[in-house]
Amino acid sequence: MTAWQRLRTALPECGHWIGAERRRCLARDSVHRYVIGWRCPLHTPAAMAGRPEPQPGPGMPAAAWTTLSPLAASAVFDARAIASGKRRSHPAAYRAAQAAVATTRKDSTTA
């Protein structure tokens, strides 16, 4: 088997069933993966529904990965819950939470 033959067998092919011809499409040019399987541009879900293909959007904004998450603020409340005993944890986390809460209480009472 030549390299070209191995490449042809490794490439995905359109799996659309053409009922009138009782065969699969088997096109290999510009084939993309969809939920229903590999499809060529003629047999994409949008093409089969008579709609135009969706255009690619702008994607995620550049600041999406640099914006602080509101979950970071929840760590403060979590430490307070652990230190007060309302949330159970292992002894090392309990002591660390008590130390963290104690330092924030000292800072807030001196002002």
Side-chain angles (χ1 to χ4, degrees):
M1 183 182 274
T2 65
W4 178 250
Q5 289 172 337
R6 277 182 277 150
L7 181 64
R8 291 292 287 174
T9 58
L11 291 175
E13 54 192 27
C14 179
H16 177 73
W17 178 257
I18 303 171
E21 299 175 15
R22 300 178 59 96
R23 67 174 183 89
R24 296 210 180 269
C25 174
L26 304 179
R28 294 181 186 224
D29 297 329
S30 302
V31 177
H32 294 284
R33 180 81 175 141
Y34 291 90
V35 174
I36 55 175
W38 293 96
R39 295 294 187 251
C40 67
L42 294 175
H43 300 120
T44 63
M48 296 304 289
R51 295 186 311 259
E53 290 295 322
Q55 298 300 315
M60 293 292 288
W65 304 111
T66 59
T67 307
L68 292 177
S69 169
L71 295 175
S74 68
V76 174
F77 301 117
D78 193 35
R80 288 183 186 154
I82 292 172
S84 68
K86 291 180 181 177
R87 179 164 178 257
R88 304 197 83 170
S89 63
H90 55 85
Y94 177 70
R95 286 191 297 276
Q98 282 187 330
V101 171
T103 58
T104 57
R105 285 184 185 158
K106 284 181 187 176
D107 293 339
S108 63
T109 56
T110 57

